[in-house]
Amino acid sequence: MAKIVTMGELLVRLSTINYERFTQAERLDVCYGGSEANVAVSLAGFGHESVYITKLPRNPIAETAAQTLRKYGVDTSKIAWGGTRMGLYFLEQGQGYRSSNVVYDRADSAMSLAQPDDFSFDEIFAGADWFHFSGITPAISRSAAKLTLEAVKAAKRNGLTVSCDLNFRKKLWTIEQARSVMPELMKYTDVCMGGREDAVKMLGFSLSERNEDDTPNLPAYEEMFRSMVEKYSFSYVACSMRRSHTASDNELSGLLYDGHKLYQAKNYRMAPMVDRVGGGDAFAAGMISAILRDKPPQEAVDFAAAASVLKHTIPGDFNLVTTEEVEALMNGKKFGRVAR
Amino acid sequence: MAKIVTMGELLVRLSTINYERFTQAERLDVCYGGSEANVAVSLAGFGHESVYITKLPRNPIAETAAQTLRKYGVDTSKIAWGGTRMGLYFLEQGQGYRSSNVVYDRADSAMSLAQPDDFSFDEIFAGADWFHFSGITPAISRSAAKLTLEAVKAAKRNGLTVSCDLNFRKKLWTIEQARSVMPELMKYTDVCMGGREDAVKMLGFSLSERNEDDTPNLPAYEEMFRSMVEKYSFSYVACSMRRSHTASDNELSGLLYDGHKLYQAKNYRMAPMVDRVGGGDAFAAGMISAILRDKPPQEAVDFAAAASVLKHTIPGDFNLVTTEEVEALMNGKKFGRVAR
Amino acid sequence: MAKIVTMGELLVRLSTINYERFTQAERLDVCYGGSEANVAVSLAGFGHESVYITKLPRNPIAETAAQTLRKYGVDTSKIAWGGTRMGLYFLEQGQGYRSSNVVYDRADSAMSLAQPDDFSFDEIFAGADWFHFSGITPAISRSAAKLTLEAVKAAKRNGLTVSCDLNFRKKLWTIEQARSVMPELMKYTDVCMGGREDAVKMLGFSLSERNEDDTPNLPAYEEMFRSMVEKYSFSYVACSMRRSHTASDNELSGLLYDGHKLYQAKNYRMAPMVDRVGGGDAFAAGMISAILRDKPPQEAVDFAAAASVLKHTIPGDFNLVTTEEVEALMNGKKFGRVAR
Amino acid sequence: MAKIVTMGELLVRLSTINYERFTQAERLDVCYGGSEANVAVSLAGFGHESVYITKLPRNPIAETAAQTLRKYGVDTSKIAWGGTRMGLYFLEQGQGYRSSNVVYDRADSAMSLAQPDDFSFDEIFAGADWFHFSGITPAISRSAAKLTLEAVKAAKRNGLTVSCDLNFRKKLWTIEQARSVMPELMKYTDVCMGGREDAVKMLGFSLSERNEDDTPNLPAYEEMFRSMVEKYSFSYVACSMRRSHTASDNELSGLLYDGHKLYQAKNYRMAPMVDRVGGGDAFAAGMISAILRDKPPQEAVDFAAAASVLKHTIPGDFNLVTTEEVEALMNGKKFGRVAR
Amino acid sequence: MAKIVTMGELLVRLSTINYERFTQAERLDVCYGGSEANVAVSLAGFGHESVYITKLPRNPIAETAAQTLRKYGVDTSKIAWGGTRMGLYFLEQGQGYRSSNVVYDRADSAMSLAQPDDFSFDEIFAGADWFHFSGITPAISRSAAKLTLEAVKAAKRNGLTVSCDLNFRKKLWTIEQARSVMPELMKYTDVCMGGREDAVKMLGFSLSERNEDDTPNLPAYEEMFRSMVEKYSFSYVACSMRRSHTASDNELSGLLYDGHKLYQAKNYRMAPMVDRVGGGDAFAAGMISAILRDKPPQEAVDFAAAASVLKHTIPGDFNLVTTEEVEALMNGKKFGRVAR
Amino acid sequence: MAKIVTMGELLVRLSTINYERFTQAERLDVCYGGSEANVAVSLAGFGHESVYITKLPRNPIAETAAQTLRKYGVDTSKIAWGGTRMGLYFLEQGQGYRSSNVVYDRADSAMSLAQPDDFSFDEIFAGADWFHFSGITPAISRSAAKLTLEAVKAAKRNGLTVSCDLNFRKKLWTIEQARSVMPELMKYTDVCMGGREDAVKMLGFSLSERNEDDTPNLPAYEEMFRSMVEKYSFSYVACSMRRSHTASDNELSGLLYDGHKLYQAKNYRMAPMVDRVGGGDAFAAGMISAILRDKPPQEAVDFAAAASVLKHTIPGDFNLVTTEEVEALMNGKKFGRVAR
């Protein structure tokens, strides 16, 4: 199986349990995640050789975070160690008409202060097939933006395919800041992914309104994707499509444009969901894996969407599923029976 | 913000977890609540000055109950201390087609035996704007009924607006008993609230059947509310409207009549719900807060309904939400996204 | 009330909590169950005299399993003690589009190695009205198949009504193996129950396709049931009907054929469910109880379906409900209100 | 094995976990117990036929309490059902220098209001060998005191041995009240047990001071026991001896006087302990079982003390141990090894 | 009762449960604490009017922290709101020969960046009797050191007694840094408290070695305390004395010097302990309360030590005990009995 | 650091929590362990390259077991996959005078049926320095005994040092069976470890009685170790020394004989303990690591004993500690302080 390198910030996540509000919580679930780490775990679960790079401080919390990645099959031997803290966030899990709430505390993390010489990119990329990053990494600090640029350059230099999940985070930077950084990174990117409005916000493309019946305007998407390919020569543009009815009831689908045609995945109604954090990362990982396994576009987008749907049934950030489980869902007609 | 006094019985609630039946339970969640205490916490959460009065025995369980109210911003300094026990109840949380089940054990509570001289009403009401009670308080004992009458008289004497949530509880008294007590209390009441059939049962009004399609017969409600206003000179009559499909799937809306016109709130489908106890109290608190903030009737009933809907997402009796959160729901079009 | 004897294997069930996958689990819920034990507990809950026989090893795990049955009113005094282990299984509870997953570890259990002389059938059946077994028991081993045959013969010899829940388990035996054993057992069976395709797989009957709109083809069922009655002289043939939309969203109904006419129960949409294991056993127990209480066929199948629906709201294998609770559901129009 | 009947009040116990104080508790462990019920469970565990009688209200909490007794092998078929509530108490588990704290809420329980005609004593005692009660039962109400007197008279009339564990509870009655009731009951008692000062307080005997080194003054005990035997013709007088260093560090031993000689059990230092509630009941049950099995006095008091010591390692009120486990401790030289 | 103001940083504490190491933890207990907040809660529990000042960011985690203080009776109305984060730390609870381990993450907290104009000290101190701070507050940042100096000056200006718990934290500053800040603060301090070596490290006093039998060298302490009083004119110098045998087995006592004589508290062996964090703060609060209640020195140090001992039995940072409970321990001879 | 290979059976452990007896348990902690796996995790924690070989069935439980080893740094890439089940055991955690209780269910595990050709020993041992096994592995089955012999031969052939922890398990085989297998294995063993009586039982050596004061008879040990070295040419003989006062109170020390002299480690009193399973494996891992790091004998046995002591503070089978932590304990004078 192919070898993929991902790079990003690894966060401690402290989330409420039993639908409690923060003010009621006496215990918090602790887990670890971050967009690119989530992709790395997913890819390891699909059987790929998965390498994750970040910078972590030398303390037992960060060591536990790395051990957890290792548990799920990710190669953590290239992680840089140093700095003083991990970023963390508190997550109040929403329910029904109460949305989830996040309190970020991620300033000055080891990764946000990392420098290019913390990583031997040419050594890390040797023998690798693919490099993946998300728009969160350049957003966390100026030095992280520089680091990301160094990384994508090194990846291209070493012949890797580069993918980016745009992932606009308005709590981390403004639209203007994003637009001053992301276009340069796109020049080195082969596969561009994102949520519905990320390319609009971060790269300045325009997307027509939704249809009157609130369904996505597919021709408008195709038009935008075509412009994106024209401008940046992307091999693929992909997009996960979520519709949130309540915090417990979402629909999920996805689109893939291969430069020629737009492919839409089946639409799933997920009600209730266990944990929606990491759903987009699961989509990205599914897409990367499918492309690496030379699946045709329709299969690729179906695989990515089904992978993302399964993520919503699993607590924590990670999509702990196998290729076989995703294929069973994407091909299946019936769900929910106990196999016995 | 306005100052509101509420009076009632505070109960220990012991509820099953993880959908267990009583016979399976080895642990119980313990929390504290009661119709008027729930209203008091809600109002404090909305930023009002909220005073709760009751009578509690001097033991660490009751002290914990009072501390919990204090945590959520309720002024507990006027509570009377004495008597021998708090009322309590066991709650088996229902799910799907299995309804919740309550085992009450509230006889002879300190509050049910409280006397008017346990409270210095004129001192308590000094500087206050509003007094709220529910039909549960006069139902728990004859002396509590007398106490309630003393309280409403003192409230009117001190110029407070008085509201009552009728809240008929058939396990506490009969329709006949209710009808011998409540009409007198209504004479001192300005804002009368209740569930769908409370005014029929407790005050003897009549309400035509539901429409054939099982939707509420709005003209019939308006007719009844008009009669209520005529008889008792209420400023407002309000009513929360719940439709229970299963224990996990309810609809919720509400009505408000301002003496002139009937206003209906948006209807919410809540599936699944975390905890439906306290949903009516959240509606009452929302209504009181909106009226105190001089909101127009449509906004008031929308605010009350949205507040109640949020309550169903929070474990325990209390509606731990802010005005901003309720307004976000009542104005919002989209729900369930993680803000990040 | 009537006295019923059931016989089967009792299993230790170790299931994940909070929707975790196996790889995330640090704690497992432990409970005990098995098709016939589940029926026995249900029947005791309905007020019948319920006797369960099995073989268990002398260790504290097995003793706990027996104590748990005794807690719920089952007579465990006829259990044979010996052998070295109980069968067990790990259950990963599914959610949404992720199905539940079972890892069986039940080879060489005490019951799978039990011999006819472990039980004094004539003594056990003395004074009893009914004997129930499922198709799982003869599937666990050749000796268990022999034991089952001895049991049904002894039951008929002692004048008991015999019921069987076909319960095909493809992880225990093949269709061919089932067809070499079950027909002989059917000769002694009066009431034959099963899921939608059990009679097809295990007894070789044929059933036409579903209707185009994916609803069950009732005339085809009636046709098959008539053939079954013709061949084996069953008094009743019954069938629970489940439609799995996702692991959290199922529909449930049931059919009963009394040799003359087909009766269909109300269809329930269960979303979400707490625990679907034991749903079929709850249906079987409801049917047995209704027949023993001489209910007309429509009531019997309605009772069985409502009993099964309630099971889906209760964690663990056992349907811990009373006759009154089942009747309230089957007769009721409204659900989910808190009685207070 | 012998058949023993015990009678008393069954209480719901709600206890804090993880060493929390009441004010910190969001969850409580729920279990069931009561002095005589604890003895009944212990005796069933030792293999005796154990019958427990009490009066319980018809609600699911009380039914669960009875089911729990049944789980542990106690015959609950003679329980009287009626009344409106079970007694309950909140238990704050102490630790180290912080003592446990109890908040009782047991007034007006079904058992405290029970009448002699709730029980058919002659039928209940038919075939039984022994009747046991504690001084708690006559303390809970005047009618319970009368009921107890009826019970001991009936027991003697039916030829049973009668034992009493004095168990003075100063929160239930005064020394004067106890002395007006207990002496009459002693006339029908054969085996009198109690803690160190119970006979002094409840029966008016006198006991010299402890030795200077704070060890028990054995000759003084022997003197008192001799007086007790002289006055009431007891066959045996027994006494558990506890020395509390802290809530986590106790010593436990016991004395037995057979009318001729004083026997002292080995002294155990228990540090830490899991749960000390029920330790005295475990001693009483051990003594009853040993006497019924005709053990010599030294063995009897050793068995009782070892049984009590094991209780302190088990959460809840019940001593869930076997005769073999008690004997292993009382005979053993080494403890704490894992048998594997 | 007297009114006391305390000022310091409030921290989120995330601690492992069930003796897990960090690497094993999937859940963490969340509580709130900090040396001066702990003192504030203790004083409120003793019945004093207790005001706590700090600076907290406007987010739900910090609001919960403040609500928790309010629950326990602390006046939080003077807290300054602003900044971006609370300090936090991860606590791995030790056991036996494994020490507890702390991972601090408190840089750039709102309080560490607070400025004197965040607080209206003259208004805050109006009507107050006492101001307490610890050596942790000036250690967290230069601006916090300045703020502390402003506070003590204002306290003296307003006629308050000032106490300081030296509390050297080597992870926050060096001995040299401490010595450049603390002496100036001591000029405004009336009551100086600390652990065994704090005055040596932070103020440069010297203390002779321990006795050969490892008991404290009392004359040496008295000598040092006399020097301290001479230099800074302290009214009292106090010192808690802990001897750690293992993480589960400590001895605790304390000393008080009133300018004339040294008083030593009883020595307690605490094994096991529930939570030792906050033990020193409980000692300080006990001392402040005793002095404010004009207790003679021996009683004061006994009260402080007994208060500290009780803290070790309670999970979390706070000493949730009453004056009566502390006095029961300090006067008592026997512990650990269940009062019933 | 050196590379060590260990081989053995990996078991699922299901243990009770909160000191419950099996009959009370509704939840069980699940973890994974086994003597050699525990050694492997320990060695990885000390920084060695650690390879574990076993045979596991292809199911998610076994995959989780392997992932858990990987989390803690063990190389699991040489594990053989096949067979149908993992061995498992239920562990009732003892407390005080109640010993722990184990219910084994490990027959027919994949490892017990493994064959030599499941492993490419020469490839596995290439580049490795040390091979470790325990006497449990040859005890589980005849084929496992053969497999072990093949392994030690291959290890010697490849120039590895071989160590064995004798670990007699009387539930797995008899003394006679052990003596028919172990001596042959000892021929290939360089470092022989065990508990106090393992060499007596399994190899037929004799050891004089303990001293009168129940302390170990050191000259007798030295005498036996000398005989062992004479017979089998061991480089080292080591022995952990445990004295169990209760299940919560043990002493632990150890001995090491280097062919010339006997070295005794410091004796630790451990009270209370968190989990004593794996204590012997922690001793063995400490010894192996110390020898590999060329520590002098006294340091080696001190390191091994301190490592074992730390294990008793950690839940589960694994000793999750670092070399630094062990050295801090073995060198330290003070314990239990919170570093802050």
Side-chain angles (χ1 to χ4, degrees), chain C residues 22-311:
Chain C
F22 280 130
T23 188
Q24 300 175 293
E26 310 254 310
R27 288 206 171 157
L28 296 172
D29 273 341
V30 58
C31 69
Y32 304 92
S35 181
E36 299 86 352
N38 302 347
V39 170
V41 167
S42 239
L43 289 169
F46 294 150
H48 297 282
E49 195 175 341
S50 178
V51 180
Y52 177 67
I53 54 177
T54 189
K55 188 168 186 184
L56 290 175
R58 267 280 169 229
N59 70 41
I61 303 300
E63 281 157 9
T64 302
Q67 286 177 326
T68 304
L69 290 176
R70 194 164 65 188
K71 174 179 176 184
Y72 294 122
V74 175
D75 179 346
T76 58
S77 63
K78 300 296 185 288
I79 288 175
W81 292 89
T84 60
R85 71 180 304 250
M86 282 184 75
L88 62 83
Y89 69 107
F90 295 90
L91 172 63
E92 187 183 77
Q93 292 275 20
Q95 198 277 346
Y97 292 97
R98 175 166 59 81
S99 299
S100 291
N101 193 11
V102 163
V103 176
Y104 274 121
D105 181 9
R106 57 196 292 181
D108 298 328
S109 71
M111 185 58 182
S112 75
L113 303 175
Q115 300 298 325
D117 62 4
D118 281 317
F119 304 95
S120 308
F121 284 123
D122 290 318
E123 187 191 312
I124 290 167
F125 289 140
D129 301 287
W130 191 292
F131 175 66
H132 174 76
F133 70 104
S134 88
I136 298 172
T137 304
I140 58 176
S141 70
R142 291 198 173 218
S143 61
K146 271 188 212 163
L147 180 71
T148 310
L149 186 58
E150 290 301 306
V152 293
K153 284 181 179 173
K156 293 312 296 178
R157 187 166 67 232
N158 283 274
L160 280 71
T161 301
V162 172
S163 63
C164 173
D165 188 348
L166 294 169
N167 259 339
F168 182 65
R169 290 289 183 267
K170 70 171 185 285
K171 292 192 176 181
L172 293 180
W173 60 0
T174 62
I175 288 179
E176 291 65 39
Q177 288 172 316
R179 288 188 182 177
S180 73
V181 168
M182 294 305 291
E184 176 72 9
L185 293 168
M186 288 305 100
K187 294 181 189 164
Y188 303 89
T189 298
D190 303 292
V191 178
C192 179
M193 297 181 275
R196 221 164 51 190
E197 301 185 346
D198 287 348
V200 176
K201 286 176 180 152
M202 300 172 87
L203 302 178
F205 290 95
S206 62
L207 178 64
S208 301
E209 291 292 299
R210 292 175 76 81
N211 295 332
E212 285 196 2
D213 62 352
D214 200 36
T215 54
N217 182 342
L218 294 188
Y221 273 100
E222 188 164 0
E223 178 59 31
M224 181 177 73
F225 291 165
R226 188 177 301 120
S227 312
M228 292 170 71
V229 167
E230 269 170 25
K231 180 152 185 195
Y232 292 111
S233 307
F234 296 134
S235 311
Y236 294 96
V237 182
C239 171
S240 65
M241 312 275 288
R242 180 190 298 276
R243 217 170 138 195
S244 285
H245 300 287
T246 73
S248 306
D249 180 0
N250 283 194
E251 287 174 75
L252 197 127
S253 180
L255 300 175
L256 175 62
Y257 180 72
D258 67 351
H260 306 286
K261 195 179 151 193
L262 187 70
Y263 300 85
Q264 182 174 20
K266 184 184 164 189
N267 187 61
Y268 296 86
R269 180 98 187 221
M270 306 178 296
M273 299 173 286
V274 171
D275 195 323
R276 52 160 286 175
V277 178
D281 306 320
F283 182 88
M287 188 61 75
I288 293 169
S289 177
I291 293 173
L292 276 165
R293 289 179 290 125
D294 291 325
K295 296 295 173 187
Q298 184 63 48
E299 263 189 53
V301 73
D302 282 344
F303 187 87
S308 181
V309 164
L310 283 179
K311 169 60 200 68

Side-chain angles (χ1 to χ4, degrees), chain E residues 145-167:
Chain E
K146 272 188 211 162
L147 179 70
T148 310
L149 187 58
E150 289 302 306
V152 292
K153 285 181 179 172
K156 293 312 295 180
R157 189 166 64 231
N158 283 274
L160 281 70
T161 302
V162 172
S163 62
C164 173
D165 188 348
L166 293 170
N167 259 341

Side-chain angles (χ1 to χ4, degrees), chain E residues 252-272:
Chain E
L252 196 126
S253 181
L255 301 174
L256 176 63
Y257 180 72
D258 66 352
H260 306 285
K261 196 179 150 193
L262 188 69
Y263 299 85
Q264 182 174 21
K266 185 185 163 189
N267 188 60
Y268 296 86
R269 181 98 187 221
M270 307 179 295

Side-chain angles (χ1 to χ4, degrees), chain B residues 14 17 22-23 25-30 59-61 64 67 85-86 88 90 101 103 105 108, chain D residues 14 17 22-23 25-30 59-61 64 67 85-86 88 90 101 103 105 108:
Chain B
L14 297 154
I17 50 182
F22 280 131
T23 188
E26 310 253 310
R27 288 206 169 156
L28 295 172
D29 273 340
V30 57
N59 69 40
I61 303 299
T64 302
Q67 287 177 326
R85 70 180 305 250
M86 282 184 75
L88 63 83
F90 296 91
N101 193 13
V103 176
D105 182 8
D108 298 328
Chain D
L14 296 154
I17 50 182
F22 280 131
T23 187
E26 311 253 310
R27 287 205 171 159
L28 296 172
D29 272 341
V30 58
N59 69 41
I61 303 299
T64 302
Q67 286 176 326
R85 71 180 304 252
M86 283 183 76
L88 62 85
F90 295 90
N101 193 11
V103 176
D105 181 9
D108 299 328

Side-chain angles (χ1 to χ4, degrees), chain F residues 107-243:
Chain F
D108 298 329
S109 71
M111 184 59 181
S112 75
L113 304 174
Q115 300 299 325
D117 61 4
D118 282 316
F119 304 96
S120 308
F121 284 122
D122 290 317
E123 184 191 315
I124 291 167
F125 289 141
D129 302 286
W130 192 292
F131 175 66
H132 174 77
F133 70 103
S134 89
I136 298 171
T137 303
I140 57 176
S141 69
R142 293 195 171 220
S143 60
K146 272 186 211 161
L147 180 70
T148 310
L149 187 57
E150 291 302 307
V152 293
K153 284 180 179 173
K156 292 313 294 179
R157 188 166 66 231
N158 284 275
L160 281 70
T161 302
V162 172
S163 63
C164 174
D165 189 348
L166 293 170
N167 260 339
F168 182 64
R169 291 287 183 266
K170 70 172 186 283
K171 291 193 175 179
L172 293 180
W173 59 359
T174 62
I175 288 178
E176 290 66 39
Q177 289 174 314
R179 288 188 182 177
S180 73
V181 168
M182 295 304 292
E184 176 73 8
L185 292 168
M186 288 304 100
K187 294 180 188 166
Y188 304 89
T189 297
D190 303 292
V191 178
C192 178
M193 298 180 276
R196 221 164 52 189
E197 301 184 345
D198 288 348
V200 177
K201 286 178 179 149
M202 300 172 87
L203 302 178
F205 291 94
S206 62
L207 179 64
S208 299
E209 290 294 299
R210 292 174 74 81
N211 295 330
E212 284 196 3
D213 61 352
D214 200 34
T215 53
N217 183 341
L218 293 187
Y221 273 100
E222 189 165 0
E223 177 59 32
M224 181 177 74
F225 292 165
R226 187 177 301 120
S227 312
M228 291 170 71
V229 167
E230 269 170 24
K231 180 154 185 191
Y232 294 110
S233 306
F234 296 135
S235 312
Y236 295 96
V237 182
C239 171
S240 65
M241 312 276 287
R242 179 190 298 277
R243 217 171 137 197

